[in-house]
């Protein structure tokens, strides 16, 4: 858990220009604070202390307006930018080096039990107010456009935009991608959209 916390604070310092120091991020960024509180709730959940984990999750939701189920799995180096209104369901998985903006939902599609929430790969960027529903997979290095409704799998290094989302392939899906080119780390919201028609 300590390694994940260190990676998270580095993510805030490196990716958010408003974060002027590590201490500033640790004390004042509710996305960071909510993520670390979730890590504690997740540990309690894993120990079978579900009542305490859910009580902590409820308090996190009240204080930070961030609702992450204690069963959700979150990788390291994750940035919840602004974080207000973020909802992450019980069976969701968020990979390493992911950046998620405010009002994002990783939710289910109904009252089904079992695996029912999105699985987000490494280095993914999810734009503000995007909604990802169901047991879909978002590949490594993908981008989800702001306000998009994603109901289908998103291939690695591609972009999903629109309501419902359409997939726009990356420049060269087979090319080697360096970490600095991952949208979750670069915070690059642009895409090679040349002929997109809604």
């Amino acid at each position: 858990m300590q390694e994940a916390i260190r990676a998270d604070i580095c993510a805030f310092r490196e990716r958010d220009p408003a974060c002027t120091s590590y201490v500033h991020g640790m004390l004042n960024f509710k996305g960071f604070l909510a993520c670390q509180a979730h890590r504690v709730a997740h540990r309690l959940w894993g120990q079978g202390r579900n009542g305490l984990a859910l009580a902590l999750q409820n308090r996190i939701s009240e204080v930070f307006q961030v609702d992450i189920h204690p069963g959700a799995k979150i990788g390291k180096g994750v940035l919840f930018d602004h974080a207000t209104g973020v909802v992450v369901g019980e069976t969701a998985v968020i990979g390493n080096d992911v950046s998620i903006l405010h009002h994002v939902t990783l939710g289910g599609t109904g009252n089904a039990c079992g695996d029912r929430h999105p699985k987000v790969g490494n280095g993914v960027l999810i734009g503000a107010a995007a909604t990802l529903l169901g047991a879909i997979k978002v590949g490594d290095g993908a981008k989800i456009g702001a306000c998009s409704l994603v109901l289908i799998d998103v291939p690695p290094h591609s972009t999903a935009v629109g309501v419902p989302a359409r997939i726009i392939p990356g420049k060269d899906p087979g090319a080697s991608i360096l970490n600095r080119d991952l949208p979750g780390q670069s915070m690059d919201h642009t895409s090679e959209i040349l002929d997109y028609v809604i």
Side-chain angles (χ1 to χ4, degrees):
M1 186 169 13
Q2 292 176 0
E3 182 182 342
I5 292 169
R6 284 191 293 273
D8 291 344
I9 194 59
C10 287
F12 273 82
R13 181 68 181 101
E14 293 165 6
R15 293 183 224 158
D16 189 344
C19 186
T20 57
S21 71
Y22 294 107
V23 172
H24 180 221
M26 285 190 292
L27 296 177
N28 301 312
F29 282 68
K30 73 178 182 176
F32 174 78
L33 296 170
C35 186
Q36 303 327 304
H38 164 75
R39 293 190 188 286
V40 174
H42 182 70
R43 166 104 17 122
L44 293 168
W45 186 263
Q47 295 170 348
R49 300 166 72 185
N50 296 359
L52 185 55
L54 289 167
L56 181 56
Q57 178 248 344
N58 183 56
R59 189 66 182 138
I60 296 165
S61 181
E62 289 175 343
V63 172
F64 299 117
Q65 294 82 46
V66 177
D67 190 358
I68 305 173
H69 191 283
K73 297 176 184 169
I74 298 179
K76 60 184 182 181
V78 174
L79 167 69
F80 289 103
D81 195 8
H82 299 284
T84 300
V86 169
V87 177
V88 180
E90 177 183 8
T91 62
V93 176
I94 299 172
N96 298 326
D97 302 314
V98 172
S99 294
I100 298 176
L101 278 74
H102 53 283
H103 293 288
V104 166
T105 298
L106 303 179
T109 57
N111 62 358
C113 294
D115 187 10
R116 61 195 182 277
H117 297 103
K119 309 300 178 263
V120 177
N122 299 324
V124 172
L125 173 62
I126 304 177
T131 301
L132 291 75
L133 299 177
I136 61 173
K137 292 182 178 156
V138 178
D140 294 346
K143 297 179 195 180
I144 309 297
C147 299
S148 295
L149 173 62
V150 184
L151 303 170
I152 57 174
D153 289 348
V154 179
H157 309 291
S158 60
T159 302
V161 290
V163 179
R166 285 180 44 193
I167 305 301
I168 300 169
K171 289 181 185 177
D172 183 3
S176 172
I177 304 293
L178 302 173
N179 277 350
R180 69 177 177 272
D181 295 327
L182 293 173
Q185 291 182 323
S186 68
M187 298 295 286
D188 179 10
H189 291 263
T190 61
S191 184
E192 294 296 316
I193 302 174
L194 302 175
D195 62 349
Y196 184 74
V197 178
I198 295 178

